[in-house]
Amino acid sequence: MKPTKSFRILTPVIMSLFILSIFSGVVAAQATAGEQYKQANEIYQANKDKYDNARKNFEEAKNIFEKANKQLGKLKDENSTQELKQKAKDYLLKAIDFAESQLQVMKSRVENSEKGSIPFNAVTVIDGHTAQLEQLKAKVEQANSTQELKDTHTELKNIVVDINLETRYYMGIVLNNRINNFIVKADNVSIRLDSAIGKLKANGTDTTKLEKEVADFKDAVKKAKESQTKTNDLYGTHNGFANGGTVSNERNANKFLDQGNRLQKETIKNLRNAGNQVIQFVKDLRKLVMNKGQASKNNELNVTGEVTTTPNDEE
């Protein structure tokens, strides 16, 4: 029995997901209860630490098994055979622990994701895989022959493939939800930028450069919306996955996720471009306000922090 690439795709869970800070300092983030966030982050960090430790143990067991397989694999004496079996068991048990740790990280992410963003009970699927892995542990410990270990290894590979595909799927859904929320915020930003230009024009200020920046911002948002619409349609059909969130066809699932990943990258790229235009707009707006020295309180346009605000006309 040889280690396969299937276990090497147990890459770290998509932990960062993109905070999407493209409008940082320009669009106020949604309020999050500090204490709830702290607790969720502590749970996630604890699971991540377990994941990192399990990965380290797995890599060590894999290396030990690979060396033993080269040294003892061709020997036919009973002692060599038994020693190789034990190292194979250790390798498989560490691989199972590694897979379980990935499930726990994913579970904490799912449980603390935006409410309603995942349209099915992903936790149930995750718990189901955990139960499968626990059963595999028992099989490994009770295995008496090389063939039994090979069969268990094959079964574990199949579970690992499903875990990785479902991890990508669930995290893709969460990321999609965040992108949709930011696009809504982008529409609100567009209104505020137009309002700021209107105030400046009322004071006779040349806003040509600002108008170009707003036009570029709107164009980037438009492109982001176009790619995001395609992404939402793609996730609506979720080829390769059943309605309950489990893998139904490995090949279709991979194709769907790869396509979704490309579209999400395109959307995020355009949103970042839009965010850069807003940041430049704010910088240029500040320069105009400072240079012009707007004195009229009635028509004054204030720039607070990184967010442009306009006072009421009645002031």
Side-chain angles (χ1 to χ4, degrees), residues 30-45 108-109 111-115 178:
Q30 287 182 320
T32 304
E35 187 60 31
Q36 290 180 345
Y37 173 80
K38 181 180 178 182
Q39 291 176 356
N41 191 58
E42 287 175 350
I43 293 173
Y44 164 74
Q45 189 59 50
S108 68
R109 276 303 190 195
E111 289 177 332
N112 294 293
S113 63
E114 292 85 347
K115 186 176 182 181
R178 294 185 180 182

PDB file of all heavy atoms in Angstrom, residues 30-45 108-109 111-115 178:
ATOM      1  N   GLN A  30     -20.864  45.916   8.170  1.00  0.00           N
ATOM      2  CA  GLN A  30     -22.050  45.558   8.940  1.00  0.00           C
ATOM      3  C   GLN A  30     -21.646  45.346  10.402  1.00  0.00           C
ATOM      4  O   GLN A  30     -20.614  44.757  10.703  1.00  0.00           O
ATOM      5  CB  GLN A  30     -22.664  44.266   8.405  1.00  0.00           C
ATOM      6  CG  GLN A  30     -23.366  44.448   7.072  1.00  0.00           C
ATOM      7  CD  GLN A  30     -23.984  43.136   6.618  1.00  0.00           C
ATOM      8  OE1 GLN A  30     -23.393  42.078   6.771  1.00  0.00           O
ATOM      9  NE2 GLN A  30     -25.173  43.206   6.100  1.00  0.00           N
ATOM     10  N   ALA A  31     -22.485  45.851  11.294  1.00  0.00           N
ATOM     11  CA  ALA A  31     -22.169  45.745  12.716  1.00  0.00           C
ATOM     12  C   ALA A  31     -22.182  44.282  13.148  1.00  0.00           C
ATOM     13  O   ALA A  31     -23.053  43.523  12.795  1.00  0.00           O
ATOM     14  CB  ALA A  31     -23.199  46.536  13.515  1.00  0.00           C
ATOM     15  N   THR A  32     -21.178  43.907  13.900  1.00  0.00           N
ATOM     16  CA  THR A  32     -21.091  42.543  14.422  1.00  0.00           C
ATOM     17  C   THR A  32     -20.897  42.618  15.921  1.00  0.00           C
ATOM     18  O   THR A  32     -20.066  43.369  16.390  1.00  0.00           O
ATOM     19  CB  THR A  32     -19.898  41.792  13.800  1.00  0.00           C
ATOM     20  OG1 THR A  32     -20.023  41.820  12.378  1.00  0.00           O
ATOM     21  CG2 THR A  32     -19.858  40.355  14.271  1.00  0.00           C
ATOM     22  N   ALA A  33     -21.662  41.841  16.640  1.00  0.00           N
ATOM     23  CA  ALA A  33     -21.539  41.848  18.092  1.00  0.00           C
ATOM     24  C   ALA A  33     -20.135  41.401  18.472  1.00  0.00           C
ATOM     25  O   ALA A  33     -19.708  40.300  18.141  1.00  0.00           O
ATOM     26  CB  ALA A  33     -22.571  40.912  18.713  1.00  0.00           C
ATOM     27  N   GLY A  34     -19.418  42.270  19.179  1.00  0.00           N
ATOM     28  CA  GLY A  34     -18.027  42.009  19.503  1.00  0.00           C
ATOM     29  C   GLY A  34     -17.810  40.730  20.277  1.00  0.00           C
ATOM     30  O   GLY A  34     -16.909  39.960  19.977  1.00  0.00           O
ATOM     31  N   GLU A  35     -18.635  40.497  21.269  1.00  0.00           N
ATOM     32  CA  GLU A  35     -18.463  39.315  22.106  1.00  0.00           C
ATOM     33  C   GLU A  35     -18.730  38.040  21.316  1.00  0.00           C
ATOM     34  O   GLU A  35     -18.009  37.048  21.448  1.00  0.00           O
ATOM     35  CB  GLU A  35     -19.420  39.382  23.308  1.00  0.00           C
ATOM     36  CG  GLU A  35     -19.196  38.281  24.335  1.00  0.00           C
ATOM     37  CD  GLU A  35     -17.791  38.312  24.919  1.00  0.00           C
ATOM     38  OE1 GLU A  35     -17.206  39.408  25.020  1.00  0.00           O
ATOM     39  OE2 GLU A  35     -17.285  37.228  25.280  1.00  0.00           O
ATOM     40  N   GLN A  36     -19.759  38.050  20.455  1.00  0.00           N
ATOM     41  CA  GLN A  36     -20.066  36.878  19.640  1.00  0.00           C
ATOM     42  C   GLN A  36     -18.924  36.590  18.674  1.00  0.00           C
ATOM     43  O   GLN A  36     -18.541  35.435  18.475  1.00  0.00           O
ATOM     44  CB  GLN A  36     -21.363  37.107  18.852  1.00  0.00           C
ATOM     45  CG  GLN A  36     -22.608  37.127  19.731  1.00  0.00           C
ATOM     46  CD  GLN A  36     -23.869  37.345  18.921  1.00  0.00           C
ATOM     47  OE1 GLN A  36     -23.822  37.755  17.768  1.00  0.00           O
ATOM     48  NE2 GLN A  36     -25.004  37.064  19.530  1.00  0.00           N
ATOM     49  N   TYR A  37     -18.391  37.639  18.100  1.00  0.00           N
ATOM     50  CA  TYR A  37     -17.284  37.457  17.162  1.00  0.00           C
ATOM     51  C   TYR A  37     -16.077  36.874  17.894  1.00  0.00           C
ATOM     52  O   TYR A  37     -15.400  35.980  17.385  1.00  0.00           O
ATOM     53  CB  TYR A  37     -16.919  38.790  16.525  1.00  0.00           C
ATOM     54  CG  TYR A  37     -15.670  38.712  15.682  1.00  0.00           C
ATOM     55  CD1 TYR A  37     -15.709  38.195  14.387  1.00  0.00           C
ATOM     56  CD2 TYR A  37     -14.439  39.129  16.203  1.00  0.00           C
ATOM     57  CE1 TYR A  37     -14.563  38.102  13.627  1.00  0.00           C
ATOM     58  CE2 TYR A  37     -13.292  39.031  15.440  1.00  0.00           C
ATOM     59  CZ  TYR A  37     -13.356  38.520  14.149  1.00  0.00           C
ATOM     60  OH  TYR A  37     -12.215  38.420  13.409  1.00  0.00           O
ATOM     61  N   LYS A  38     -15.808  37.388  19.080  1.00  0.00           N
ATOM     62  CA  LYS A  38     -14.661  36.923  19.842  1.00  0.00           C
ATOM     63  C   LYS A  38     -14.789  35.439  20.165  1.00  0.00           C
ATOM     64  O   LYS A  38     -13.837  34.667  20.013  1.00  0.00           O
ATOM     65  CB  LYS A  38     -14.544  37.727  21.145  1.00  0.00           C
ATOM     66  CG  LYS A  38     -13.349  37.329  22.006  1.00  0.00           C
ATOM     67  CD  LYS A  38     -13.290  38.167  23.270  1.00  0.00           C
ATOM     68  CE  LYS A  38     -12.119  37.728  24.145  1.00  0.00           C
ATOM     69  NZ  LYS A  38     -12.060  38.507  25.404  1.00  0.00           N
ATOM     70  N   GLN A  39     -15.980  35.026  20.602  1.00  0.00           N
ATOM     71  CA  GLN A  39     -16.202  33.624  20.941  1.00  0.00           C
ATOM     72  C   GLN A  39     -16.057  32.737  19.713  1.00  0.00           C
ATOM     73  O   GLN A  39     -15.434  31.670  19.765  1.00  0.00           O
ATOM     74  CB  GLN A  39     -17.589  33.452  21.565  1.00  0.00           C
ATOM     75  CG  GLN A  39     -17.723  34.089  22.941  1.00  0.00           C
ATOM     76  CD  GLN A  39     -19.133  33.988  23.496  1.00  0.00           C
ATOM     77  OE1 GLN A  39     -20.044  33.506  22.830  1.00  0.00           O
ATOM     78  NE2 GLN A  39     -19.322  34.458  24.720  1.00  0.00           N
ATOM     79  N   ALA A  40     -16.653  33.178  18.597  1.00  0.00           N
ATOM     80  CA  ALA A  40     -16.573  32.394  17.367  1.00  0.00           C
ATOM     81  C   ALA A  40     -15.136  32.271  16.896  1.00  0.00           C
ATOM     82  O   ALA A  40     -14.702  31.201  16.446  1.00  0.00           O
ATOM     83  CB  ALA A  40     -17.438  33.039  16.283  1.00  0.00           C
ATOM     84  N   ASN A  41     -14.381  33.359  17.015  1.00  0.00           N
ATOM     85  CA  ASN A  41     -13.001  33.352  16.570  1.00  0.00           C
ATOM     86  C   ASN A  41     -12.145  32.441  17.452  1.00  0.00           C
ATOM     87  O   ASN A  41     -11.235  31.764  16.959  1.00  0.00           O
ATOM     88  CB  ASN A  41     -12.439  34.775  16.586  1.00  0.00           C
ATOM     89  CG  ASN A  41     -11.098  34.877  15.898  1.00  0.00           C
ATOM     90  OD1 ASN A  41     -10.979  34.544  14.727  1.00  0.00           O
ATOM     91  ND2 ASN A  41     -10.093  35.349  16.615  1.00  0.00           N
ATOM     92  N   GLU A  42     -12.436  32.415  18.737  1.00  0.00           N
ATOM     93  CA  GLU A  42     -11.691  31.555  19.652  1.00  0.00           C
ATOM     94  C   GLU A  42     -11.925  30.090  19.323  1.00  0.00           C
ATOM     95  O   GLU A  42     -11.003  29.268  19.343  1.00  0.00           O
ATOM     96  CB  GLU A  42     -12.101  31.850  21.095  1.00  0.00           C
ATOM     97  CG  GLU A  42     -11.562  33.183  21.620  1.00  0.00           C
ATOM     98  CD  GLU A  42     -12.074  33.510  23.011  1.00  0.00           C
ATOM     99  OE1 GLU A  42     -12.987  32.786  23.480  1.00  0.00           O
ATOM    100  OE2 GLU A  42     -11.582  34.485  23.612  1.00  0.00           O
ATOM    101  N   ILE A  43     -13.186  29.743  19.016  1.00  0.00           N
ATOM    102  CA  ILE A  43     -13.515  28.364  18.658  1.00  0.00           C
ATOM    103  C   ILE A  43     -12.813  27.987  17.355  1.00  0.00           C
ATOM    104  O   ILE A  43     -12.222  26.907  17.231  1.00  0.00           O
ATOM    105  CB  ILE A  43     -15.041  28.193  18.501  1.00  0.00           C
ATOM    106  CG1 ILE A  43     -15.722  28.371  19.862  1.00  0.00           C
ATOM    107  CG2 ILE A  43     -15.380  26.815  17.925  1.00  0.00           C
ATOM    108  CD1 ILE A  43     -17.225  28.394  19.792  1.00  0.00           C
ATOM    109  N   TYR A  44     -12.884  28.891  16.397  1.00  0.00           N
ATOM    110  CA  TYR A  44     -12.233  28.634  15.116  1.00  0.00           C
ATOM    111  C   TYR A  44     -10.727  28.451  15.288  1.00  0.00           C
ATOM    112  O   TYR A  44     -10.128  27.535  14.720  1.00  0.00           O
ATOM    113  CB  TYR A  44     -12.509  29.793  14.146  1.00  0.00           C
ATOM    114  CG  TYR A  44     -11.585  29.798  12.958  1.00  0.00           C
ATOM    115  CD1 TYR A  44     -11.740  28.865  11.937  1.00  0.00           C
ATOM    116  CD2 TYR A  44     -10.530  30.706  12.876  1.00  0.00           C
ATOM    117  CE1 TYR A  44     -10.881  28.841  10.866  1.00  0.00           C
ATOM    118  CE2 TYR A  44      -9.668  30.690  11.796  1.00  0.00           C
ATOM    119  CZ  TYR A  44      -9.849  29.753  10.790  1.00  0.00           C
ATOM    120  OH  TYR A  44      -8.988  29.743   9.734  1.00  0.00           O
ATOM    121  N   GLN A  45     -10.108  29.321  16.096  1.00  0.00           N
ATOM    122  CA  GLN A  45      -8.663  29.256  16.294  1.00  0.00           C
ATOM    123  C   GLN A  45      -8.268  27.952  16.969  1.00  0.00           C
ATOM    124  O   GLN A  45      -7.247  27.339  16.625  1.00  0.00           O
ATOM    125  CB  GLN A  45      -8.179  30.444  17.125  1.00  0.00           C
ATOM    126  CG  GLN A  45      -6.663  30.573  17.189  1.00  0.00           C
ATOM    127  CD  GLN A  45      -6.029  30.726  15.818  1.00  0.00           C
ATOM    128  OE1 GLN A  45      -6.454  31.565  15.021  1.00  0.00           O
ATOM    129  NE2 GLN A  45      -5.012  29.918  15.531  1.00  0.00           N
ATOM    130  N   SER A 108     -16.919  24.828  12.201  1.00  0.00           N
ATOM    131  CA  SER A 108     -16.919  26.110  12.911  1.00  0.00           C
ATOM    132  C   SER A 108     -17.165  27.263  11.949  1.00  0.00           C
ATOM    133  O   SER A 108     -17.836  28.239  12.288  1.00  0.00           O
ATOM    134  CB  SER A 108     -15.600  26.313  13.666  1.00  0.00           C
ATOM    135  OG  SER A 108     -14.518  26.491  12.775  1.00  0.00           O
ATOM    136  N   ARG A 109     -16.639  27.147  10.717  1.00  0.00           N
ATOM    137  CA  ARG A 109     -16.875  28.169   9.711  1.00  0.00           C
ATOM    138  C   ARG A 109     -18.355  28.211   9.327  1.00  0.00           C
ATOM    139  O   ARG A 109     -18.954  29.272   9.193  1.00  0.00           O
ATOM    140  CB  ARG A 109     -16.026  27.905   8.470  1.00  0.00           C
ATOM    141  CG  ARG A 109     -14.607  28.446   8.544  1.00  0.00           C
ATOM    142  CD  ARG A 109     -14.606  29.929   8.795  1.00  0.00           C
ATOM    143  NE  ARG A 109     -13.271  30.506   8.625  1.00  0.00           N
ATOM    144  CZ  ARG A 109     -12.940  31.698   9.052  1.00  0.00           C
ATOM    145  NH1 ARG A 109     -13.809  32.431   9.699  1.00  0.00           N
ATOM    146  NH2 ARG A 109     -11.725  32.164   8.864  1.00  0.00           N
ATOM    147  N   GLU A 111     -20.964  27.084  11.061  1.00  0.00           N
ATOM    148  CA  GLU A 111     -21.816  27.498  12.177  1.00  0.00           C
ATOM    149  C   GLU A 111     -21.762  28.998  12.418  1.00  0.00           C
ATOM    150  O   GLU A 111     -22.725  29.588  12.925  1.00  0.00           O
ATOM    151  CB  GLU A 111     -21.402  26.751  13.451  1.00  0.00           C
ATOM    152  CG  GLU A 111     -21.764  25.274  13.435  1.00  0.00           C
ATOM    153  CD  GLU A 111     -21.272  24.543  14.675  1.00  0.00           C
ATOM    154  OE1 GLU A 111     -20.254  24.970  15.264  1.00  0.00           O
ATOM    155  OE2 GLU A 111     -21.898  23.531  15.043  1.00  0.00           O
ATOM    156  N   ASN A 112     -20.654  29.628  12.048  1.00  0.00           N
ATOM    157  CA  ASN A 112     -20.511  31.057  12.293  1.00  0.00           C
ATOM    158  C   ASN A 112     -20.620  31.895  11.017  1.00  0.00           C
ATOM    159  O   ASN A 112     -20.296  33.075  11.025  1.00  0.00           O
ATOM    160  CB  ASN A 112     -19.168  31.330  12.979  1.00  0.00           C
ATOM    161  CG  ASN A 112     -19.100  30.728  14.365  1.00  0.00           C
ATOM    162  OD1 ASN A 112     -19.803  31.149  15.271  1.00  0.00           O
ATOM    163  ND2 ASN A 112     -18.260  29.724  14.535  1.00  0.00           N
ATOM    164  N   SER A 113     -21.079  31.276   9.945  1.00  0.00           N
ATOM    165  CA  SER A 113     -21.285  32.018   8.702  1.00  0.00           C
ATOM    166  C   SER A 113     -22.582  32.814   8.813  1.00  0.00           C
ATOM    167  O   SER A 113     -23.367  32.651   9.747  1.00  0.00           O
ATOM    168  CB  SER A 113     -21.364  31.064   7.510  1.00  0.00           C
ATOM    169  OG  SER A 113     -22.475  30.204   7.637  1.00  0.00           O
ATOM    170  N   GLU A 114     -22.788  33.699   7.845  1.00  0.00           N
ATOM    171  CA  GLU A 114     -23.976  34.536   7.851  1.00  0.00           C
ATOM    172  C   GLU A 114     -25.231  33.661   7.881  1.00  0.00           C
ATOM    173  O   GLU A 114     -25.347  32.704   7.126  1.00  0.00           O
ATOM    174  CB  GLU A 114     -23.999  35.430   6.611  1.00  0.00           C
ATOM    175  CG  GLU A 114     -22.914  36.484   6.593  1.00  0.00           C
ATOM    176  CD  GLU A 114     -21.594  35.968   6.045  1.00  0.00           C
ATOM    177  OE1 GLU A 114     -21.454  34.748   5.907  1.00  0.00           O
ATOM    178  OE2 GLU A 114     -20.715  36.800   5.763  1.00  0.00           O
ATOM    179  N   LYS A 115     -26.158  33.989   8.753  1.00  0.00           N
ATOM    180  CA  LYS A 115     -27.364  33.200   8.928  1.00  0.00           C
ATOM    181  C   LYS A 115     -28.132  33.104   7.619  1.00  0.00           C
ATOM    182  O   LYS A 115     -28.416  34.094   6.974  1.00  0.00           O
ATOM    183  CB  LYS A 115     -28.258  33.827  10.012  1.00  0.00           C
ATOM    184  CG  LYS A 115     -29.478  32.976  10.365  1.00  0.00           C
ATOM    185  CD  LYS A 115     -30.268  33.603  11.500  1.00  0.00           C
ATOM    186  CE  LYS A 115     -31.464  32.733  11.888  1.00  0.00           C
ATOM    187  NZ  LYS A 115     -32.252  33.349  12.970  1.00  0.00           N
ATOM    188  N   ARG A 178     -21.269  36.984   0.693  1.00  0.00           N
ATOM    189  CA  ARG A 178     -20.552  38.206   1.062  1.00  0.00           C
ATOM    190  C   ARG A 178     -20.376  39.123  -0.152  1.00  0.00           C
ATOM    191  O   ARG A 178     -20.490  40.342  -0.042  1.00  0.00           O
ATOM    192  CB  ARG A 178     -19.195  37.860   1.672  1.00  0.00           C
ATOM    193  CG  ARG A 178     -19.331  37.136   3.000  1.00  0.00           C
ATOM    194  CD  ARG A 178     -17.997  36.901   3.672  1.00  0.00           C
ATOM    195  NE  ARG A 178     -18.157  36.209   4.934  1.00  0.00           N
ATOM    196  CZ  ARG A 178     -17.170  35.905   5.756  1.00  0.00           C
ATOM    197  NH1 ARG A 178     -15.934  36.235   5.441  1.00  0.00           N
ATOM    198  NH2 ARG A 178     -17.404  35.274   6.886  1.00  0.00           N
TER     199      ARG A 178
END
